[in-house]
Amino acid sequence: MIIGIDKIGFATSNYVLKLKDLAQARQTDPDKLSKGLLLKELSIAPVTEDIITLGASAAESILSQEDKDQIDMVIVATESAIDQSKAASVFIHGLLGIQPFARSFEIKEACYGATAALDYARLHLEKRPDSKVLVIASDIAKYGIGTPGEPTQGAGSIAMLVTANPRILTFNDDNVAQTRDVMDFWRPNYSSTPFVNGLYSTQQYLDCLKTSWTEYQKRSGLSLKDFAAVNFHLPYPKLALKGLKQIMDKSLEPAKREELTQNFNQSIIYSQKVGNIYTGSLYLGLLSLLENSPQLKAGDRIALFSYGSGAVSEIFSMNLVENFRQELKTNRLEELDQRESLSVADYERIFFEEIQLDETGSASLAGYDQQNFALTGVNQHQRQYSKVKKEA
Ligand code: HMG
């Protein structure tokens, strides 16, 4: 049975911080961010935006009523959960109006979670080919003001509809996973920002890539010449570029090397303007590749390297389906350019604003521009969401 990704949606906040402004405020050479990290802009989420509003907006942008009637599982992968108990997918299931007889749950392993969710969706569809599974990767990445990770923050969500006979990509069932117990990046329950061993995390990322890639090639019998593109988890694009260079062995023909490099450059376009969105980063890179690469064609095989700190990594591949472009957008860059640009002072105030609850555990929230859904307040410790009414 052919199973894969039928639709991909993306949502981010309507506010952006230009990294040249951040560089100036932090007295850093702007080239360090634009060339050293390969980043240009970061999406900044206000207090009315969270993993629920972003996830629901990303999904709403792709789902038809028929999809909502057929989805029987909603999985949200996140590492910026808003509740220790109730899953984000339950809120999103309700906001989207998905039929009631569905399984909804949240999944976690740093930036890796959505990759496990996709494979679980595949297994589910093998048994129930008429159903559809909604996989959402949703995160807001906050490192804190003045931290080394500050220029790599971001906010956004990717929604993927997994079905039989998909219209974009088919899974090849060739996944190779790796787990190693390391403390490169982690966020204890009492902290709103992560603890990061920055250099060590980059070493772990690159070593997991090297060892997983060796094992993947051994098990699959494939090598880079069999791929049109490699997508990487993108904590910041420069690290992924190092990864690509690391696995391009010297025997690779110059034309293949050029193709992989060009497709890599297309895959980082959106992340360069959004930042790290943790669980969604790899899939934002995939979307960027599919929507921006003019040379991809049906049948092309694409490798994906998923990495979540802690650490779990996985390499797997997918093939492009005939007419895949019909399911994609052509104006996403223009949409990103419509985000409101914030001064550094406004970014610091808006991104790190905390909800101030009164003695009843309530607060009203308003005043920010939203996508399709908004967190409008908290009523006796219950978060309140509503659909945003857009002016015609
Ligand atoms: P840093 O202080 O920016 O490090 O921290 P740096 O001083 O090494 O500079 C970065 C690069 O800029 C270097 O290039 C410099 O040479 C270059 P490289 O040596 O790497 O090729 N540079 C310049 N280039 C041009 N002109 C200049 C200039 N100055 C310097 N003037 C660090 C970097 C990654 C440590 C920091 O951003 C950080 O802590 N980030 C957060 C952690 C992270 O992203 N780790 C990545 C791997 S872990 C992961 O991917 C998982 C994650 O997504 C979380 C999860 O799984 O949940 C993070």
Side-chain angles (χ1 to χ4, degrees), residues 83 357-363 377-384:
D83 196 292
L357 298 177
D358 66 16
E359 62 286 355
T360 69
S362 306
V378 181
N379 183 12
Q380 297 185 35
H381 301 286
Q382 298 175 33
R383 290 167 91 87
Q384 311 287 306

Side-chain angles (χ1 to χ4, degrees), residues 1 33 60 118 131 137 147 165 167 207 215-216 231 235 259 277 284 296 303 306-307 319 329 360 372:
M1 189 189 315
L33 310 186
E60 181 81 345
L118 282 181
S131 74
T147 60
N165 303 315
R167 285 171 285 186
D207 195 62
E215 185 66 18
Y216 177 85
N231 267 109
E259 181 190 8
I277 57 166
L284 182 60
L296 285 177
S306 182
Y307 179 85
N319 277 32
K329 272 190 155 184
T360 69
N372 294 327

Side-chain angles (χ1 to χ4, degrees), residues 301-316:
R301 185 185 279 257
I302 297 171
L304 292 96
F305 171 63
S306 182
Y307 179 85
S309 283
V312 178
S313 55
E314 190 157 324
I315 294 182
F316 65 106

Side-chain angles (χ1 to χ4, degrees), residues 29 31-32 35-37 79 110-112 143 148-149 151-152 184-185 196 198-199 201-202 205 233 235-236 238-239 242 276 278 307-309:
D29 183 345
D31 282 356
K32 177 176 178 188
K35 297 185 179 141
L37 302 178
E79 58 175 301
C111 298
Y112 163 79
Y143 287 92
T152 72
D184 60 332
F185 168 111
V196 190
L199 178 62
S201 74
T202 62
Y205 175 106
H233 167 53
Y236 55 94
K238 179 70 177 295
L239 184 60
K242 283 186 187 179
N276 191 357
Y278 289 158
Y307 179 85
S309 283

Side-chain angles (χ1 to χ4, degrees), residues 26-85:
R26 302 288 177 257
Q27 296 174 324
T28 300
D29 183 345
D31 282 356
K32 177 176 178 188
L33 310 186
S34 63
K35 297 185 179 141
L37 302 178
L38 283 179
L39 283 167
K40 296 176 181 166
E41 299 171 353
L42 307 178
S43 276
I44 300 302
V47 72
T48 49
E49 199 87 80
D50 65 11
I51 58 160
I52 311 289
T53 64
L54 291 169
S57 294
E60 181 81 345
S61 73
I62 55 168
L63 297 183
S64 64
Q65 187 55 49
E66 192 187 354
D67 294 329
K68 292 177 187 178
D69 293 341
Q70 289 176 326
I71 289 170
D72 68 352
M73 187 149 77
V74 183
I75 315 175
V76 172
T78 188
E79 58 175 301
S80 31
I82 48 96
D83 196 292
Q84 289 283 10
S85 179

Side-chain angles (χ1 to χ4, degrees), residues 218-239:
K218 201 163 83 187
R219 291 193 199 177
S220 67
L222 300 169
S223 68
L224 263 192
K225 67 176 172 17
D226 300 304
F227 293 87
V230 186
N231 267 109
F232 296 85
H233 167 53
L234 295 167
Y236 55 94
K238 179 70 177 295
L239 184 60

Side-chain angles (χ1 to χ4, degrees), residues 345-366:
D346 281 344
Y347 138 70
E348 290 179 357
R349 183 175 53 78
I350 289 172
F351 203 39
F352 296 99
E353 183 180 353
E354 298 277 349
I355 299 174
Q356 302 299 323
L357 298 177
D358 66 16
E359 62 286 355
T360 69
S362 306
S364 289
L365 305 171

